[in-house]
Amino acid sequence: MDKILRQVQEQPSYAAQVLLTTAAVLRIQAGRPLHPRILDIALGFGADAIVGTLPMPVAVDAMDRARAALPPVDDTVTHGEYALLLDAIAKTV
């Protein structure tokens, strides 16, 4: 039982998993400048992959936490640079 509890506690939160998946999607075209619409699309892929089959209250909570953790989109940042930010933020949510 302790082993199972430890595994659950060590697993990233759903919000963190959404951010990490979003970062992976952004890395596909790492050198391109990031536009807010592209971030929304990548976040949508992350949401579908991680919380798409979870009960609605759990999914909504995870997405609210993930969105609240997003840094502002600056038109000088690339997909890859933003992905690095998401990786770091995912460790805190």
Side-chain angles (χ1 to χ4, degrees):
M1 185 71 145
D2 288 341
K3 181 180 178 182
I4 294 171
L5 182 59
R6 193 169 37 255
Q7 286 175 336
V8 169
Q9 290 173 333
E10 292 171 358
Q11 186 175 22
S13 69
Y14 289 128
Q17 292 177 48
V18 168
L19 295 175
L20 293 170
T21 305
T22 302
V25 171
L26 291 174
R27 283 192 183 88
I28 294 169
Q29 295 183 327
R32 294 190 67 178
L34 183 61
H35 185 275
R37 180 69 184 126
I38 299 299
L39 176 58
D40 285 342
I41 292 168
L43 193 59
F45 280 113
D48 286 345
I50 302 302
V51 299
T53 61
L54 296 176
M56 186 61 68
V58 176
V60 168
D61 179 63
M63 288 308 298
D64 287 348
R65 290 179 47 223
R67 284 187 189 280
L70 292 174
V73 176
D74 180 324
D75 63 354
T76 63
V77 70
T78 67
H79 291 199
E81 291 166 335
Y82 200 85
L84 290 173
L85 292 173
L86 294 182
D87 289 339
I89 292 167
K91 296 175 184 173
T92 68
V93 295

